[in-house]
Amino acid sequence: MIAQLTGTVAAVGEAYAVVDVNGVGYAVHAGAHTLANLKVGSQAVLAISTIVREDSITLHGFNTAEERDLFELLQSAQRIGPRIARDAIEVLRPDALRYAIATGDTATLSRIPGVGKKGAERIVLDLADKIGPVDPHGVPKQGGGRPGGWRTQVSQGLQALGWTAKEAETAIEKLDAEGADGQDVPTLLKQAIRLLGKR
C-alpha cells in the first residue's frame, strides 16, 4: 500500500493532483485544503490512503498523516465511503470533526454533505469510542456562536450535579430559546443551573 508520496507536482485539477515521482505520475484525489498547498512544478509530500477495489486502485492525498488516519477511521462507520469521509474533513477540519464525534454533537456532524441526522448519529455510535482524546481548546467555535457540542457537555454537567436527563433537556431548550452567541460551556452551564434553581 502507498502511504506517502514525495515528488514534483505535475498538474492540479479541481479535485485531484498529479505527482511525478521519479518519472511516474500518480493521480491523487484530494480536497480543496490539500490542493491549495500544491503548485505545479513545486515539491510536495502527501500522506496517502490507498483504496483497492476489484476494478480500480485509488489514491487519496492529505496534508498530514493525521488527516489521512481520520479519513480511514471515518470509513469504518456504516455507510461512510471515501467521498463523504473526505468531505467531512474538508467541511469541519480534523480537530472540530474529532471533537464533534467525541461529544456526540450530531448537529455539527449533520453539516457534512450527504450526512443527515441519522447518519450523524450512526457516526457517533460507531466511532465515539475510537476517536481518542480530544482537546476542546483547539476547536474553533462554529460561526462565531456557541461552541460545538455544548448541549452534550451542559447536559452531562447538570446530570453530574444531580439533575435528571429530562431536567437537563428542559434547561437546554430554554438556553436554545435565548439564542445568545459567544458563550463558552462553563458560562452556559452556570446559566442552566440558574434556570433550574440551585440544588
Side-chain angles (χ1 to χ4, degrees):
M1 292 293 182
I2 297 173
Q4 178 176 297
L5 284 179
T6 302
T8 303
V9 179
V12 178
E14 290 186 4
Y16 75 95
V18 177
V19 180
D20 186 322
V21 182
N22 297 323
V24 179
Y26 292 87
V28 181
H29 293 264
H33 282 88
T34 300
L35 294 172
N37 293 326
L38 303 180
K39 307 298 180 186
V40 174
S42 66
Q43 289 291 303
V45 179
L46 293 177
I48 299 293
S49 177
T50 304
I51 297 178
V52 179
R53 300 258 168 84
E54 288 184 7
D55 57 348
S56 66
I57 298 176
T58 307
L59 305 181
H60 292 266
F62 302 91
N63 289 321
T64 66
E66 178 195 12
E67 290 181 358
R68 178 198 61 206
D69 295 346
L70 184 55
F71 170 77
E72 294 177 346
L73 177 65
L74 285 166
Q75 292 175 76
S76 67
Q78 290 186 33
R79 299 183 180 178
I80 301 299
R83 183 186 295 270
I84 291 179
R86 192 180 71 198
D87 286 348
I89 293 171
E90 283 293 308
V91 171
L92 298 180
R93 307 306 294 144
D95 286 343
L97 179 56
R98 287 165 55 86
Y99 188 69
I101 294 172
T103 59
D105 185 0
T106 56
T108 294
L109 293 172
S110 295
R111 292 169 49 202
I112 302 168
V115 175
K117 181 179 179 182
K118 289 185 177 180
E121 292 171 348
R122 173 53 62 182
I123 290 174
V124 171
L125 184 63
D126 289 348
L127 302 182
D129 61 344
K130 301 177 183 178
I131 205 69
V134 295
D135 178 13
H137 301 294
V139 179
K141 294 180 180 180
Q142 303 298 324
R146 293 171 174 176
W150 71 270
R151 294 174 184 81
T152 300
Q153 294 180 73
V154 169
S155 177
Q156 290 173 345
L158 290 172
Q159 291 178 62
L161 292 171
W163 279 281
T164 66
K166 183 63 178 176
E167 289 171 329
E169 182 181 344
T170 298
I172 289 168
E173 287 176 355
K174 290 180 180 178
L175 289 175
D176 258 335
E178 292 178 358
D181 287 343
Q183 298 169 324
D184 57 19
V185 171
T187 300
L188 290 165
L189 180 57
K190 289 177 183 177
Q191 291 179 355
I193 292 171
R194 188 177 70 249
L195 288 170
L196 291 171
K198 290 185 179 180
R199 176 165 292 186

